[in-house]
């Protein structure tokens, strides 16, 4: 019988982890505190590790149709002075380029793939407690339901309530404030 894995958080990391775990033969369920994925703003850039993760679960070619790929980056000041230039193509890593797409599209594609893979994604499930009962973790939710699991992945974000409930020590270190705006050129004119 496959082991039961609970993934808390239906963001890109949680859904991708669920797809990878199911591919590895685990029985997976995803739990999200929000009633739906909602509207997400902005874009996301996936570098080598993210592209390899999509490839591992067989989604890089499918998702690649929605991405804009690039290898060269320029970071400039508002008045156009060059601060940094990098050519990812020079890096000795697999997928030495990046893919950019809207965060909303990435989220919707991952949820659609999880649905196609018959992974149960439960919305309105906010974790209230995680006791260990008879050797298994039991996720207890504020809506009164519970779910026994052999293992749990906390993918519920930087301010993870699950991590707090489990007593996992962590420290959030502010990186300062930054805004990057980008243009991905897809061809030469």
């Amino acid at each position: 019988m496959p082991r039961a894995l609970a993934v808390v958080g239906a963001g890109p990391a949680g859904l991708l982890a669920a797809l990878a775990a199911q591919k590895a033969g685990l029985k997976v369920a995803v739990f999200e505190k929000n009633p739906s994925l909602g509207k997400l703003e902005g874009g996301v850039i996936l570098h080598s590790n993210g592209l390899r993760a999509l490839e591992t679960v067989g989604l890089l070619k499918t998702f690649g149709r929605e991405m804009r790929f690039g290898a060269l980056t320029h970071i400039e000041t508002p008045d156009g002075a060059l601060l940094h230039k990098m050519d990812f193509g020079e890096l000795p890593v697999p997928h030495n380029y990046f893919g950019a797409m809207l965060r909303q599209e990435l989220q919707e594609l991952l949820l659609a793939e999880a649905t196609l893979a018959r992974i149960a994604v439960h919305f309105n499930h906010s974790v209230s407690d995680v006791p260990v009962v008879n050797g298994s973790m039991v996720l207890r939710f504020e809506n009164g339901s519970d779910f026994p699991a052999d293992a749990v992945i906390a993918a519920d974000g930087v301010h993870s309530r699950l991590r707090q409930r489990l007593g996992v020590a962590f420290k959030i270190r502010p990186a300062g404030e930054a805004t990057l705006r980008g243009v991905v050129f897809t061809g030469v004119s």
Side-chain angles (χ1 to χ4, degrees):
M1 182 166 146
R3 305 289 297 219
L5 172 69
V7 177
V8 176
L15 291 171
L16 194 54
L19 288 162
Q22 186 189 59
K23 186 175 180 177
L26 298 175
K27 180 182 173 189
V28 183
V30 178
F31 299 93
E32 170 60 43
K33 68 180 178 180
N34 294 309
S36 67
L37 291 180
K39 179 81 171 125
L40 299 170
E41 303 274 331
V44 62
I45 294 177
L46 301 176
H47 294 262
S48 180
N49 287 346
L51 296 172
R52 286 185 4 226
L54 287 175
E55 183 177 60
T56 298
V57 296
L59 296 176
L60 182 56
K61 286 184 182 176
T62 302
F63 282 31
R65 293 184 203 115
E66 304 299 325
M67 289 185 188
R68 299 297 178 256
F69 294 100
L72 187 61
T73 62
H74 289 190
I75 299 176
E76 301 175 350
T77 64
D79 63 356
L82 182 64
L83 294 174
H84 182 73
K85 178 180 172 182
M86 182 170 180
D87 185 350
F88 284 81
E90 295 175 354
L91 297 175
V93 297
H95 306 297
N96 56 355
Y97 54 92
F98 58 86
M101 68 187 307
L102 293 175
R103 185 177 173 86
Q104 183 76 35
E105 288 177 356
L106 175 62
Q107 190 79 358
E108 288 171 357
L109 288 169
L110 286 168
L111 182 60
E113 289 296 330
T115 302
L116 284 173
R118 299 185 191 270
I119 294 172
V121 179
H122 305 275
F123 291 96
N124 282 320
H125 279 71
S126 184
V127 175
S128 62
D129 196 13
V130 190
V132 176
V133 178
N134 297 325
S136 289
M137 300 174 102
V138 177
L139 291 176
R140 295 216 166 112
F141 301 97
E142 291 177 1
N143 65 11
S145 65
D146 62 309
F147 182 84
D150 298 303
V152 177
I153 293 177
D156 55 334
V158 68
H159 301 288
S160 172
R161 290 183 67 197
L162 178 57
R163 230 180 10 230
Q164 293 171 1
R165 297 271 191 280
L166 294 173
V168 176
F170 66 97
K171 181 179 179 181
I172 297 174
R173 292 176 282 163
E177 186 174 326
T179 301
L180 294 177
R181 297 195 184 273
V183 177
V184 178
F185 294 101
T186 59
V188 178
S189 57

Coordinates of all heavy atoms in Angstrom, one line a residue, residues 6 8-9 13 16 27 31 36 46 59 62 64 72 81 85 99 103 113 126 132 135-137 148 159 177 186:
A6 N 0.9 14.2 2.9 CA 0.1 15.4 2.9 C 1.0 16.6 2.6 O 2.1 16.7 3.1 CB -0.6 15.6 4.3
V8 N 0.9 20.6 2.6 CA 0.2 21.7 3.0 C 0.6 23.0 2.2 O 1.8 23.4 2.3 CB 0.4 22.0 4.5 CG1 -0.3 23.2 5.0 CG2 -0.1 20.7 5.3
G9 N -0.3 23.5 1.4 CA 0.0 24.6 0.6 C -0.1 24.3 -0.9 O 0.6 23.4 -1.4
A13 N 5.2 25.5 -5.3 CA 6.1 24.5 -4.6 C 5.3 23.3 -4.1 O 5.7 22.1 -4.3 CB 6.9 25.1 -3.5
L16 N 3.9 21.2 -7.2 CA 5.0 20.5 -7.9 C 5.5 19.3 -7.0 O 5.8 18.2 -7.5 CB 6.2 21.5 -8.2 CG 7.2 21.0 -9.2 CD1 6.6 20.4 -10.5 CD2 8.2 22.1 -9.5
K27 N 0.8 8.1 -2.2 CA -0.5 8.6 -2.2 C -0.5 10.0 -1.7 O 0.0 10.2 -0.6 CB -1.4 7.7 -1.4 CG -2.9 8.1 -1.3 CD -3.7 7.2 -0.4 CE -5.0 7.7 -0.3 NZ -5.8 7.0 0.8
F31 N -3.5 20.3 0.7 CA -4.4 21.1 1.6 C -4.0 22.5 1.5 O -2.9 22.9 1.7 CB -4.4 20.6 3.0 CG -4.8 19.1 3.1 CD1 -3.8 18.1 3.1 CD2 -6.1 18.8 3.2 CE1 -4.2 16.8 3.2 CE2 -6.5 17.4 3.3 CZ -5.5 16.4 3.3
S36 N -9.8 29.3 -2.7 CA -9.4 29.0 -4.1 C -8.0 29.6 -4.3 O -7.5 30.2 -3.4 CB -10.4 29.7 -5.1 OG -10.3 31.1 -5.0
L46 N 11.9 31.1 -13.7 CA 12.4 29.8 -13.3 C 13.8 29.6 -13.9 O 14.0 29.7 -15.1 CB 11.5 28.7 -13.8 CG 10.0 28.7 -13.3 CD1 9.2 27.6 -13.9 CD2 10.0 28.6 -11.8
L59 N 6.8 17.9 -17.3 CA 6.0 19.1 -17.6 C 6.8 20.2 -18.3 O 6.2 21.2 -18.7 CB 5.3 19.7 -16.4 CG 4.3 18.8 -15.7 CD1 3.8 19.4 -14.5 CD2 3.2 18.4 -16.7
T62 N 5.5 20.9 -21.9 CA 4.1 21.4 -21.9 C 4.1 22.9 -21.4 O 3.5 23.8 -22.0 CB 3.2 20.6 -21.0 OG1 3.3 19.2 -21.5 CG2 1.8 21.1 -20.9
G64 N 6.6 24.9 -21.3 CA 7.5 25.7 -22.1 C 6.7 26.4 -23.2 O 7.2 27.5 -23.6
L72 N 20.3 35.8 -21.4 CA 21.1 37.0 -21.1 C 20.3 38.0 -20.3 O 19.1 38.3 -20.6 CB 21.5 37.7 -22.4 CG 22.5 38.8 -22.3 CD1 23.8 38.4 -21.7 CD2 22.7 39.4 -23.7
A81 N 21.9 53.1 -16.7 CA 23.3 52.7 -16.4 C 23.3 51.2 -16.1 O 22.5 50.7 -15.2 CB 23.9 53.5 -15.3
K85 N 25.5 42.4 -15.8 CA 25.1 41.7 -17.0 C 25.5 40.2 -16.7 O 26.6 39.9 -16.2 CB 25.9 42.2 -18.2 CG 25.7 41.5 -19.5 CD 26.5 42.2 -20.6 CE 26.4 41.4 -21.8 NZ 27.3 42.0 -22.9
G99 N 13.2 30.6 -17.8 CA 11.9 30.7 -18.4 C 11.1 31.7 -17.5 O 11.1 31.6 -16.3
R103 N 2.8 34.4 -13.0 CA 2.6 33.5 -11.8 C 1.2 32.8 -11.9 O 1.1 31.7 -11.5 CB 2.8 34.3 -10.6 CG 2.8 33.5 -9.3 CD 3.1 34.3 -8.1 NE 2.9 33.6 -6.9 CZ 3.8 32.8 -6.3 NH1 5.0 32.7 -6.8 NH2 3.5 32.1 -5.2
E113 N -2.7 20.1 -13.9 CA -1.9 18.9 -14.0 C -2.2 18.0 -12.7 O -2.3 16.8 -12.9 CB -0.4 19.2 -14.1 CG 0.0 19.7 -15.4 CD -0.2 18.8 -16.6 OE1 -0.1 17.5 -16.4 OE2 -0.4 19.3 -17.7
S126 N -7.3 25.0 6.7 CA -6.2 25.6 7.4 C -5.8 24.7 8.6 O -6.7 24.4 9.4 CB -6.7 27.0 7.9 OG -5.7 27.7 8.6
V132 N 0.8 13.4 16.7 CA 1.2 12.1 16.3 C 0.3 11.1 17.0 O 0.3 11.1 18.2 CB 2.7 11.9 16.5 CG1 3.0 10.4 16.1 CG2 3.5 12.9 15.8
G135 N 1.8 6.5 15.7 CA 2.9 6.5 14.8 C 2.7 7.3 13.5 O 3.6 7.4 12.7
S136 N 1.5 7.9 13.3 CA 1.3 8.7 12.1 C 0.9 10.1 12.5 O 0.3 10.3 13.6 CB 0.1 8.1 11.3 OG 0.5 6.9 10.7
M137 N 1.3 11.0 11.7 CA 0.9 12.4 11.9 C -0.6 12.6 11.5 O -1.0 11.9 10.6 CB 1.7 13.4 11.1 CG 3.2 13.3 11.4 SD 4.1 14.3 10.2 CE 4.4 15.7 11.2
P148 N -4.9 11.6 8.3 CA -3.7 11.0 8.8 C -2.7 10.8 7.7 O -3.1 10.6 6.5 CB -4.2 9.6 9.2 CG -5.5 9.4 8.4 CD -6.0 10.7 8.1
H159 N 5.7 32.4 5.9 CA 5.2 32.5 7.2 C 4.4 31.3 7.6 O 3.3 31.3 8.1 CB 4.3 33.8 7.3 CG 5.0 35.0 7.0 ND1 5.9 35.6 7.8 CD2 4.9 35.8 5.9 CE1 6.4 36.7 7.3 NE2 5.8 36.8 6.1
E177 N 14.7 45.8 0.4 CA 13.6 46.0 -0.6 C 14.2 46.1 -2.0 O 15.2 46.8 -2.2 CB 12.8 47.3 -0.2 CG 11.6 47.5 -1.1 CD 10.8 48.7 -0.6 OE1 10.8 49.0 0.6 OE2 10.3 49.4 -1.5
T186 N 12.3 37.7 -27.3 CA 12.1 36.4 -27.8 C 12.7 36.2 -29.2 O 12.6 35.2 -29.8 CB 10.6 36.0 -27.8 OG1 9.9 36.9 -28.6 CG2 10.1 35.9 -26.4

